[in-house]
Amino acid sequence: MAMSGGNAIRGTRVGAGPMGESERGETAPRVRVAYFCATGHETRPSFAADAEIPETWDCPRCGLPAGRDHTSPPAAPRNEPYKTHLAYVKERRSDADGAAILDEALSRLRASREL
């Protein structure tokens, strides 16, 4: 006769009994709000009935901002392309400024070599 060894309450853990309102107390009244993103996804998070409902919510599927109006969801944020250090310098200085700075640096370098 084969007997299964081990614990008789396998698959349970301490305190894993049924938890309900008697142990946790009354749940707050909830309201579900629909949000729509630009790609057509719909998400319905729930909020406490007395909480302030945000105008936008991040879509959990694509990460775009979602709004409550399904006919005109918020536009996707515009991402600026990566700029190199040279691109930032060119925004601050004209070509003439760059040529003047280069001439000044070259003349200092030549002067230091003549010493």
Side-chain angles (χ1 to χ4, degrees), residues 69-93:
D69 184 7
H70 73 308
T71 59
S72 62
R78 185 168 173 246
N79 291 333
E80 293 291 324
Y82 174 77
K83 287 186 185 178
T84 63
H85 177 68
L86 180 60
Y88 283 110
V89 170
K90 286 183 176 183
E91 285 180 358
R92 293 191 315 262
R93 309 237 188 242

Side-chain angles (χ1 to χ4, degrees), residues 44-58:
R44 292 181 173 267
S46 67
F47 298 95
D50 59 348
E52 184 177 334
I53 307 297
E55 288 299 315
T56 60
W57 192 260
D58 289 340

Side-chain angles (χ1 to χ4, degrees), residues 19-27:
M19 285 186 55
E21 292 180 1
S22 63
E23 291 185 28
R24 290 186 301 221
E26 294 284 324
T27 57

Side-chain angles (χ1 to χ4, degrees), residues 90-112:
K90 286 183 176 183
E91 285 180 358
R92 293 191 315 262
R93 309 237 188 242
S94 67
D95 289 340
D97 291 340
I101 292 170
L102 178 62
D103 288 340
E104 180 184 330
L106 287 175
S107 65
R108 277 195 314 235
L109 182 63
R110 289 179 184 129
S112 70

